[in-house]
Amino acid sequence: MILPIWFTLLLVIAGVVVLLISLKPAAIVCQIQSKRKDFGLGWKILFALICLFVLGYFLFAYTVTKLEPSIVTSIIPWILFGGSVFVMLVTSMSLKSIQNIEKIAALERHHALHDELTSLPNRTLLYERLKQAIVNARRQGSTVSVLIMDLNQFKEVNDTLGHHCGDGLLQQVTPRLTNTLRNSDTVARFGGDEFAVILPDTDLVGATTISKKIINAFEESFNVEGHKLQIGISIGISVYPDDAADVDTLIQKADVAMYVAKRKNLGYTIYDSRQDRHTLNRLIIIGKLHDAIKNDELVLYYQPILETKGFGLWGFEALVRWRQPELGLLMPEEFIPIAEQSGLIKELSRWSLNEALKQIKYWQEIDSSLKISVNLSVKDLQDSSFLNYLNELFVTTQVDPRSLNIEITESIMMTDSRRAYEVLYELHRIGVTLSIDDFGTGFSSLSYLKQLPAKSIKIDKSFVIDMLEDDNDAVIVRSTIDLAHNMGRIVIAEGVENKETLDILEILGCDYAQGHYLGQPIAANLVPDWIKGDQLQVK
Ligand code: C2E
Ligand code: CA
Ligand code: CA
């Protein structure tokens, strides 16, 4: 059928319109490619060709007006219209798939540079941004501060409440951090409970102010799965260019400062070159702890525990020390946390139990009622072979299980490990007694105590030491004694450093006391003389 000229022209114009529409996706693809710094020559040629087609269509339209309607003028406009629809479909479908690929690539880029749990930048992105901040600061003659931060009780939360709770806590920590900072600052999660902040154009004074703000932001407790958690944070500060001029050293120095802040419970610490020695020590400790037991470098010291009324000797608490050939006598706080992290604690605890039971057997020849108290870690109770080991030890050392008391920190009360509870009940069944150590420092309360076969609680020395000056501490000590007694538990106060404290504890009805005033931890060879007479000095 021969088309009238007006219809031919209409078809050509419709084709031109469709071609013009397909210019848009082609232009968007060209734009995406130029943003990616990809030259995108193919798409540019396509764009130019579409423009040429438009011209061609107009030329055809002009020619048609000069011709008589024929079979040719009737077929060609259909072909032209079909061609332009085809071009439009191809360009818009290509645009869609390119946009999808872009989206996936952006998501992958985000994954590669961000932490999955908190969506914060990860270590890689932090390094990139810090590098850039240093370049900018060098150009402008300004400073950059770096904060490395670590949560204080995170390990306990993870160990006792489980990883899901730990993850929940990390997710709540994130907005507390970001809300205290400017948009231009970068907060990153380094892994575990370690975070880092870059403060561009900020000097030491600014970094200190921000550190205080962060610490304040942690004053309010967190509520994770119904647990109210009071979590502190330790911050280490280093500043470009004063402390270092490159990314790695700057981060390493902030990390050294953070470690000092954590160890001394200072909140935040500014990097000081003298701190490096401690880091070196820590590295030696990690490396050498493995062989310490084998090389017979561990020793137990013994600190007496006495009745508050009348000073009757209950027995001794065994406290481990490490005679490290290079560093001298190391106190447990310097290596027990490392032993717990590395799993060496199980071996260390078995060594302590073996040593302490052998000693008490020997001292019971002087006084058969003496008992020994040994500190264990929650991890020991989760060890499936622990009970067998201890039972065999009672046989080989010939010590009555009733002479052994074990001390576990109060974090045990938040444990949902059934195994740990089973072990405690089995120990209780065979006559071993249990003390809850460091009472009052963690998240637990006396109500948890009901679930445990604990004979006694030890009020943490931090409350006892200051109870004469600090009314709050005195109230905590008094109410803990009353509540524990109401629940039928015995109370031991640690950290008794003077007579006044001892007198008050006696008035408050505290059952036993331990502390420098009553007796320092001493080596095993000094214990027999102490039992025989020296303790009389206290009275
Ligand atoms: P802890 O169980 O709370 O032990 C009491 C700590 O207080 C001991 O520190 C003791 O020397 C110290 N102390 C005693 N009286 C006073 C006092 O009047 N004033 C002050 N300021 N401190 C006093 P030490 O020996 O450094 O032990 C520290 C911690 O290391 C212990 O705290 C315990 O948690 C852990 N620990 C010690 N030995 C072992 C062990 O064999 N195994 C395990 N798992 N942990 C141990
Ligand atoms: Ca203890
Ligand atoms: Ca304690």
Side-chain angles (χ1 to χ4, degrees), residues 13 42 90 203 208 261 276 356 378 382 386 389 453 507:
I13 290 168
V90 170
D203 59 10
T208 314
D276 283 330
V378 176
Q382 286 158 348
F386 176 75
Y389 175 82
I507 294 166

Side-chain angles (χ1 to χ4, degrees), residues 311 326 506:
F311 307 113
E326 288 151 68
E506 192 194 338

Side-chain angles (χ1 to χ4, degrees), residues 317-319 373-375 407-409 437-438 458 494 514:
E317 177 177 2
L319 296 159
S373 200
V374 177
N375 293 283
E407 298 190 13
I408 308 266
T409 60
D437 206 356
D438 298 350
K458 296 187 81 168
E494 341 168 295
Q514 174 183 0

Side-chain angles (χ1 to χ4, degrees), residues 303 317 320-321 332 352 375 437-438 461 494 497 515-516 521:
Q303 186 174 32
E317 177 177 2
V320 70
R321 273 99 182 89
S352 296
N375 293 283
D437 206 356
D438 298 350
K461 56 179 178 288
E494 341 168 295
E497 294 188 344
H516 292 166

